[in-house]
């Protein structure tokens, strides 16, 4: 009897594995991901089956449903906000910017000031000054918040803001911030701060959606100033961590009508996490003398298309002279790989900057499986030497640049909620170029011989890691 039940259990596991493999075949967003899951589910269902239902979901269906609800509940409010943007709508001109607008589902706006913030000291000085200047509301969102000295400084400033009557909304990703203690959150709540985790697995229908994460880092002050970029909250981002040492990162401060894009992205996330509809008084305002055009591009696993990947491909295809990209995690999908090679073949100065020291070993190893083809095509790859490189920046020719949270890997392209500021402005692009030139001076360039000269076992490990990259 026991043997019969054991055999039945094994049979059912294999049947469920085959059924899940068929689901992966029909729903995976990349062929590489579908193949990886199908082989795993059919061959090793005992391990792959639970892994697939936790990590293999192709879209964040709960957020999709909530977005539909939001469109019903908030339609009039959002239309009203968009109508107020009309005087600041900028002419996108050529089709490249129109494509970015379509991906963003947000208009290009004029009347903005974009300020680069380089490394931790300048960034957190600016962030904390913004919090102190808040009069009506603060929207605060980070992927990682540490319960350390910097995290406590953020907490103290948010508590003081709430005490002086500012409405403070604090949203964190419960996976990225899994070490954040209950005491930290309780102190904020008792001070009057509205606190919520992103709750990616909220509700029994979505309890297996553990692989979707909110990777956005956003601060909005009264709807007129906004910040986004690579920085989370922790002393390691100030270069004080024992693991990485020096930390190279870039953030962006925005002033002007484009801040609405940050606010709307936070609005959607907060509504998903809490079912609450935020009522925020907002009017566009421009105070800059030399203004810039900006479009905010939110992206995530609830989108109908792969917004982040398409944004990167659009930037590559539009480049005529140079395309410089920095990313701590570089395992792009096949479309981005092909676009990078083609750009180099047509004479574009394509440069990729990645860290010398790995942060996630599997992602780091994956890159070595496809780098030889890129190097042969003329793509230049540099590894940053002084510390850990974490910035996510693109420079397109001398006319456009972007700063945001997107890494060039499958997680950012298809699993994480991300946000990017795209700035088609020559003055801003010149500032980004100067910044990146200094960074490249601190790099060493990888040669084809270095990659191909590795031992066979290293090549095999890299290839295996790359085949697993869609599942990461």
């Amino acid at each position: 009897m026991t043997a019969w039940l054991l055999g039945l259990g094994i049979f059912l596991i294999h049947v469920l594995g085959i059924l899940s493999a068929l689901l992966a075949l029909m729903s995976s967003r990349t062929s590489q991901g579908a193949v990886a899951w199908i082989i795993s589910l059919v061959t090793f269902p005992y391990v792959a089956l639970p892994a697939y239902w936790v990590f293999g979901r192709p879209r964040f269906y709960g957020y999709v449903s909530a977005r539909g609800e939001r469109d019903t509940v908030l339609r009039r409010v959002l239309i009203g906000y968009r109508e107020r943007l009309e005087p600041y709508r900028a002419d996108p001109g050529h089709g490249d910017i129109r494509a970015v607008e379509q991906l963003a589902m947000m208009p290009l706006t004029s009347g903005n000031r974009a300020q680069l913030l380089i490394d931790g000291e300048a960034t957190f000085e600016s962030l904390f000054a913004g919090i102190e200047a808040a009069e009506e509301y603060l929207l605060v969102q980070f992927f990682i918040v540490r319960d350390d000295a910097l995290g406590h400084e953020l907490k103290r400033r948010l508590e003081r803001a709430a005490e002086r009557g500012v409405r403070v909304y604090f949203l964190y990703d419960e996976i990225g911030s899994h070490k954040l203690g209950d005491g930290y959150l309780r102190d904020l709540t008792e001070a009057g701060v509205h606190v919520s985790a992103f709750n990616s697995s909220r509700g029994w229908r979505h309890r297996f959606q553990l692989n979707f994460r909110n990777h956005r880092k956003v601060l909005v002050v009264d709807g007129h100033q906004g910040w986004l970029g690579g920085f989370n909250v922790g002393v390691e981002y100030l270069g004080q961590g024992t693991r990485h040492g020096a930390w190279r990162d870039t953030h962006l401060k925005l002033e002007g009508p484009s801040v609405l894009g940050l606010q709307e992205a936070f609005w959607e996330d907060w509504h998903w996490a809490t079912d609450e509809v935020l009522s925020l008084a907002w009017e566009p305002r421009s105070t800059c003398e030399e203004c810039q055009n900006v479009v905010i591009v939110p992206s995530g696993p609830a989108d109908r298309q792969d917004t982040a990947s398409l944004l990167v491909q659009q930037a590559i295809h539009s480049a005529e002279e140079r395309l410089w990209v920095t990313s701590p995690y570089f395992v792009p999908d096949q479309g981005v790989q092909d676009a990078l090679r083609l750009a180099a073949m047509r004479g574009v100065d394509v440069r990729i900057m990645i860290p010398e020291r790995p942060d996630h070993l599997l992602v780091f190893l994956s890159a070595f499986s496809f780098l030889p083809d890129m190097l042969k095509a003329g793509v230049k790859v540099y590894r940053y030497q002084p510390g850990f490189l974490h910035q996510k920046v693109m420079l397109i020719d001398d006319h456009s640049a972007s700063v945001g949270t997107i890494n060039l890997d499958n997680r950012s392209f298809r699993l994480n909620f991300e946000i990017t500021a795209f700035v088609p402005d020559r003055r801003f692009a010149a500032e980004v170029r100067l910044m990146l030139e200094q960074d490249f001076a601190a790099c060493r360039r990888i040669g084809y011989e270095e990659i191909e000269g590795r031992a066979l076992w290293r090549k095999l490990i890299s290839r295996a890691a790359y085949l697993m990259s869609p599942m990461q």
Side-chain angles (χ1 to χ4, degrees):
M1 184 68 175
T2 303
W4 181 84
L5 289 175
L6 179 62
L8 178 62
I10 293 173
F11 172 76
L12 290 175
I13 289 174
H14 279 273
V15 169
L16 288 173
I18 293 171
L19 293 175
S20 297
L22 292 174
L23 180 60
L25 175 65
M26 299 301 296
S27 62
S28 293
R29 298 175 80 166
T30 67
S31 57
Q32 186 180 348
V35 170
W37 279 118
I38 289 169
I39 293 175
S40 301
L41 288 164
V42 172
T43 309
F44 308 107
Y46 312 101
V47 175
L49 195 59
Y52 176 73
W53 286 103
V54 173
F55 300 112
R57 303 286 289 276
R59 296 186 69 199
F60 197 155
Y61 294 108
Y63 198 103
V64 173
S65 301
R67 176 175 283 173
E69 179 185 347
R70 187 220 66 176
D71 289 342
T72 300
V73 175
L74 303 179
R75 186 180 301 275
R76 292 182 182 178
V77 178
L78 293 178
I79 289 176
Y81 281 152
R82 294 296 179 91
E83 288 175 350
R84 296 173 201 172
L85 275 182
E86 284 302 316
Y88 297 94
R89 286 187 71 113
D91 181 6
H94 53 81
D96 292 337
I97 306 302
R98 292 184 188 276
V100 175
E101 278 191 324
Q102 291 294 313
L103 290 170
M105 299 179 66
M106 284 286 296
L108 180 74
T109 61
S110 61
N112 302 287
R113 180 172 182 261
Q115 177 187 355
L116 275 178
L117 298 171
I118 301 173
D119 288 338
E121 184 175 345
T123 296
F124 286 103
E125 180 180 345
S126 180
L127 287 169
F128 290 156
I131 292 172
E132 295 299 326
E135 297 178 353
E136 297 180 15
Y137 61 87
L138 283 167
L139 311 179
V140 185
Q141 177 177 20
F142 287 98
F143 176 59
I144 296 173
V145 179
R146 302 286 192 204
D147 194 355
D148 60 12
L150 187 62
H152 280 265
E153 182 63 24
L154 173 67
K155 179 165 70 75
R156 283 193 294 269
R157 291 177 184 268
L158 296 181
E159 289 170 345
R160 288 204 299 263
E163 289 167 1
R164 67 175 186 265
V166 177
R167 286 192 294 160
V168 182
Y169 299 90
F170 178 79
L171 184 64
Y172 65 96
D173 185 272
E174 67 270 27
I175 298 174
S177 301
H178 66 278
K179 294 183 179 180
L180 192 61
D182 292 338
Y184 187 105
L185 302 173
R186 185 172 55 252
D187 289 346
L188 285 173
T189 302
E190 291 176 352
V193 176
H194 303 272
V195 177
S196 178
F198 180 60
N199 291 324
S200 59
S201 56
R202 178 171 64 88
W204 70 269
R205 291 184 302 165
H206 316 302
R207 64 188 180 277
F208 295 124
Q209 294 185 149
L210 302 179
N211 209 27
F212 299 121
R213 300 168 194 173
N214 199 311
H215 194 238
R216 293 168 179 166
K217 299 97 173 170
V218 169
L219 173 68
V220 174
V221 176
D222 297 337
H224 302 304
Q225 298 182 50
W227 288 258
L228 76 160
F231 279 98
N232 292 296
V233 181
V235 295
E236 67 265 39
Y237 297 92
L238 295 173
Q240 299 173 13
T242 57
R243 180 182 178 188
H244 296 295
W247 191 278
R248 176 69 188 91
D249 220 329
T250 300
H251 228 64
L252 184 67
K253 177 184 178 182
L254 293 172
E255 297 176 87
S258 65
V259 176
L260 177 62
L262 303 180
Q263 185 163 292
E264 284 197 8
F266 183 95
W267 207 341
E268 277 198 339
D269 291 344
W270 186 266
H271 179 59
W272 157 256
T274 67
D275 282 330
E276 297 174 5
V277 178
L278 296 183
S279 176
L280 303 174
W282 180 81
E283 291 288 344
R285 184 175 70 189
S286 177
T287 58
C288 54
E289 295 181 2
E290 296 184 13
C291 296
Q292 295 151 321
N293 294 340
V294 177
V295 58
I296 301 297
V297 188
S299 59
D303 297 352
R304 295 180 179 177
Q305 53 192 352
D306 295 333
T307 304
S309 176
L310 291 174
L311 175 66
V312 174
Q313 291 183 59
Q314 169 58 32
I316 299 169
H317 290 308
S318 66
E320 297 180 354
E321 297 179 7
R322 72 178 52 81
L323 177 83
W324 296 354
V325 181
T326 71
S327 176
Y329 314 118
F330 185 64
V331 192
D333 58 28
Q334 196 62 51
V336 171
Q337 289 182 40
D338 292 343
L340 288 169
R341 288 199 297 268
L342 285 170
M345 289 176 183
R346 67 174 192 267
V348 177
D349 177 17
V350 180
R351 302 187 192 182
I352 309 295
M353 190 189 308
I354 58 177
E356 176 70 58
R357 291 176 251 172
D359 184 33
H360 293 287
L361 184 60
L362 197 61
V363 176
F364 178 78
L365 292 172
S366 299
F368 291 98
S369 66
F370 58 83
L371 281 181
D373 289 338
M374 289 204 168
L375 294 170
K376 284 192 292 186
V379 175
K380 304 167 187 173
V381 180
Y382 297 80
R383 295 176 69 172
Y384 186 74
Q385 299 296 299
F388 186 67
L389 177 83
H390 192 252
Q391 61 175 329
K392 307 96 165 51
V393 175
M394 289 192 298
L395 173 67
I396 304 98
D397 295 336
D398 291 324
H399 57 68
S400 300
S402 72
V403 177
T405 67
I406 296 175
N407 298 308
L408 268 68
D409 65 358
N410 183 65
R411 172 157 293 283
S412 274
F413 286 171
R414 296 180 177 87
L415 299 174
N416 285 350
F417 289 87
E418 309 280 6
I419 194 160
T420 301
F422 190 87
V423 187
D425 179 84
R426 288 186 175 275
R427 184 165 58 89
F428 181 75
E431 294 175 6
V432 172
R433 178 176 178 176
L434 178 61
M435 176 186 74
L436 294 182
E437 284 176 341
Q438 295 173 351
D439 290 334
F440 279 119
C443 294
R444 71 175 183 88
R445 186 173 170 183
I446 299 175
Y448 177 79
E449 294 78 11
E450 176 184 343
I451 305 297
E452 281 299 286
R454 293 174 306 138
L456 177 60
W457 67 270
R458 290 181 179 271
K459 294 180 181 179
L460 292 174
I461 290 175
S462 294
R463 190 61 186 172
Y466 178 60
L467 291 177
M468 294 177 64
S469 62
M471 302 165 65
Q472 298 168 26

